[in-house]
Amino acid sequence: MRYNQGTVAMLLLGGLLGCASAPLPPKELISARKSYERARASAAAELAPTDLHDAREALERAERAFGDDDELTEARDLAYLADRRAQLAEALGRMAAAERQRGAALQAYGEVHLALRRRRAPPADPVKPAEPPAQQEVPAARARAPGGERPMVIMKGR
């Protein structure tokens, strides 16, 4: 079978035009997809699932707006919002993970601090409760100078 060169050229040109007619997604939508995937792979999936779900819904709205071909501006706007929600979900997940680490560090610090205090403390007498250290009494003559004024005490070496 021999094909006419004109027919083959027309079919190739039609095929190329058919592929080229599908619009490329806007850069905002591509960025939103990447941000959502990054958030989904982060701690947000476990620690901020509600925010991640909100980001997914915003991305789906942007995808629908892009697929409808009604208004590319609306798809870009929705994609921008989806991108920001995904970034927020990721940030909230990181923040929750940091708070979890902080809590664990504070608990470990408290346990170490308690162990050190127990090691240094003298054994308590089970019969007699511990007494606070006695305060030194200042003689009345030193406490008040004549005329009701307190004398100025200069401490050496400090």
Side-chain angles (χ1 to χ4, degrees):
M1 262 203 222
R2 287 185 62 185
Y3 293 103
N4 185 350
Q5 287 181 349
T7 306
V8 172
M10 290 295 279
L11 287 174
L12 285 174
L13 185 61
L16 290 174
L17 288 176
C19 292
S21 66
L24 295 175
K27 65 181 180 183
E28 293 87 358
L29 186 57
I30 293 170
S31 177
R33 289 173 183 164
K34 288 179 183 177
S35 293
Y36 176 76
E37 287 304 317
R38 194 172 45 249
R40 195 169 61 102
S42 73
E46 178 188 351
L47 302 174
T50 304
D51 297 299
L52 188 63
H53 178 73
D54 291 345
R56 179 66 190 159
E57 286 180 346
L59 181 61
E60 287 173 354
R61 281 192 300 272
E63 294 281 0
R64 279 193 303 270
F66 175 68
D68 290 345
D69 290 332
D70 290 340
E71 187 69 36
L72 191 59
T73 305
E74 182 182 356
R76 283 186 174 146
D77 291 344
L78 291 172
Y80 177 81
L81 291 173
D83 188 20
R84 294 298 181 237
R85 286 190 182 216
Q87 290 174 359
L88 177 64
E90 183 180 6
L92 290 173
R94 282 194 315 261
M95 188 172 76
E99 281 295 319
R100 195 180 265 186
Q101 285 179 333
R102 179 182 174 267
L106 285 175
Q107 183 178 1
Y109 171 78
E111 291 170 0
V112 168
H113 184 69
L114 183 61
L116 287 174
R117 287 185 66 197
R118 285 183 180 161
R119 186 184 303 165
R120 289 186 199 154
D125 188 6
V127 178
K128 184 171 86 173
E131 296 178 14
Q135 295 180 348
Q136 296 178 351
E137 292 187 25
V138 178
R142 287 186 60 197
R144 298 259 180 212
E149 296 178 14
R150 289 188 164 187
M152 183 162 61
V153 178
I154 300 175
M155 301 184 78
K156 295 182 180 179
R158 289 195 182 200

